[in-house]
């Protein structure tokens, strides 16, 4: 009798409420791919203060070693995005080889057209054709760099915009933007995706030339199938329903990826899931519902954060874990029961089924996933015990700590 009960028990455990086989859910979680940003390992801050920290990387090589460390302790962060010129090196092949030696790959390549005096009135949208040429040449240079490091993503964000009504022609700036994007698009090899990131405001405060998902999507549709929209979760007006944007872009096949972070007010770039774990869950529920979780679905899951006051590597580890938790909860939503409740028009039951997934404590499940990946079930504790932090603080003395150089 006792065995039968135990059998029943284990039986129950192997099937989640969502009807998904628990092993299937663990297998999906084990294949998750969350890309970390090189710039999160360097010093960053706000316009008020950039706080330095001990052990901060001084070179793109050290940034990649820190990103590889996050992968070693989470198992699901196998690539690192780079930003040019913050990560400029003489030999990009050597940088890619270093990444491989460390067990990661170089992911999205981000051009930087927002930190030179020439870009005061914009880069690719600047009224001055000489400056537009300079900015476009930088985009083309980053296409070449992406080829050299084996990257398949060119990730574009422009600070371009105006601060006062009348300052420039909104329409003419769109024409200039379209021209630069088109020239860059045709320079990309067929296996490269152009990610077009939008942002409602900052550093321009009257209008940004790529302010919202609609403007980004329109440019992508004009460019071609290799151009997709990048959703930075910190780039919307307060109260924006981001999962609605995600569902719409997935439906169009134009969701290229995410820059995950969280915020209480503006583009705070805080740890993803820290300010709004339920919001992150709702986004991942749209992803799971559209079967767009794994790499082959073509959505790039990337973090874009800066850790002004907190230790950077543990913060990245915690952020990756927050995405894993939101994903696991979304995978545990009983999709069949949800469909039934929706078909019955049973509003409360439908909401309850979704909340059931969200209210599930998925930490034991993720601990199991990590054990099956051969890593410590508690990455934060394991990193603290690894001595890596102490080692980099002892070794990285002298030289200039990497930063945004803003
Ligand atoms: C702009 C942004 C963009 C970057 C930068 C580091 O706010 O989100 O993705 O290039 O942050
Ligand atoms: Mn971003």
């Amino acid at each position: 009798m006792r065995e039968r009960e135990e059998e029943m028990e284990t039986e129950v455990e192997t099937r989640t409420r969502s009807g998904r086989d628990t092993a299937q859910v663990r297998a999906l979680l084990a294949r998750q791919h969350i890309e970390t940003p090189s710039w999160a390992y360097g010093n960053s801050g706000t316009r008020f203060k950039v706080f330095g920290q001990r052990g901060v990387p001084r070179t793109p090589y050290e940034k990649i070693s820190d990103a590889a460390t996050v992968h070693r302790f989470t198992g699901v962060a196998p690539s690192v995005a780079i930003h040019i010129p913050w990560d400029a090196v003489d030999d990009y092949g050597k940088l890619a080889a270093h990444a491989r030696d460390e067990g990661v790959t170089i992911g999205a390549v981000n051009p930087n057209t927002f930190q030179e005096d020439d870009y005061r009135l914009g880069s690719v949208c600047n009224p001055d054709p000489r400056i537009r040429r300079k900015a476009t040449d930088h985009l083309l240079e980053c296409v070449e760099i992406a080829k050299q490091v084996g990257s398949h993503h060119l990730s574009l964000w422009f600070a371009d915009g105006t601060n006062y009504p009348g300052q420039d022609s909104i329409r003419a700036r769109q024409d200039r933007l379209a021209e630069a994007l088109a020239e860059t698009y045709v320079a990309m090899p067929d296996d490269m995706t152009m990610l077009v990131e939008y942002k409602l405001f900052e550093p321009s405060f009257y209008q940004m030339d790529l302010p919202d998902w609609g403007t980004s999507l329109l440019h992508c549709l004009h460019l071609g199938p290799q151009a997709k929209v990048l959703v930075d979760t910190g780039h919307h007006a307060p109260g924006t329903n981001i999962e609605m944007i995600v569902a719409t872009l997935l439906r169009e096949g134009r969701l290229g990826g995410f820059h995950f972070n969280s915020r209480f007010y503006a583009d705070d770039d805080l740890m993803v899931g820290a300010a709004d774990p339920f919001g992150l869950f709702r986004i991942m529920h749209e992803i799971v519902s559209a079967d767009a979780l794994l790499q082959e679905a073509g959505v790039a899951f990337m973090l874009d954060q800066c850790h002004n006051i907190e230790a950077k590597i543990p913060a990245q580890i915690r952020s990756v874990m927050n995405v894993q938790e939101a994903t696991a909860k979304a995978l545990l939503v009983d999709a069949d029961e949800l469909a039934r409740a929706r078909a019955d028009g049973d509003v409360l039951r439908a909401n309850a089924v979704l909340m059931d997934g969200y209210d599930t404590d998925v930490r034991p499940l993720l601990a199991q996933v990590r054990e099956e990946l051969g890593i410590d079930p508690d990455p934060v504790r394991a990193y603290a015990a690894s001595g890596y932090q102490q080692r980099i603080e002892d070794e990285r003395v002298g030289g200039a700590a990497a930063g945004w150089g803003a």
Side-chain angles (χ1 to χ4, degrees), residues 39 83 86 110 114 157 197 199 232 235 259 267 269 304 404:
W39 53 96
H83 218 294
W86 297 339
N110 294 254
F114 52 87
W157 175 72
E197 184 177 0
K199 185 174 184 179
D232 185 313
H235 288 186
H259 271 181
D267 188 19
D269 281 339
D304 177 7
W404 282 27

Side-chain angles (χ1 to χ4, degrees), residues 157 291 336 387:
W157 175 72
D291 228 354
D336 304 338

Side-chain angles (χ1 to χ4, degrees), residues 212-232:
D212 55 29
W213 67 276
T215 311
S216 174
L217 179 61
L218 283 174
H219 281 283
C220 291
L221 293 173
H222 286 296
L223 289 162
Q226 291 172 250
K228 296 189 175 178
V229 180
L230 174 59
V231 177
D232 185 313

Side-chain angles (χ1 to χ4, degrees), residues 372-400:
E372 288 165 359
L373 283 169
I375 62 175
D376 190 296
D378 182 340
V380 172
R381 184 194 57 206
Y383 174 72
S386 72
Y388 184 86
Q389 186 66 34
Q390 196 50 55
R391 183 158 60 78
I392 57 177
E393 291 184 9
D394 297 344
E395 283 172 7
R396 296 176 181 173
V397 178

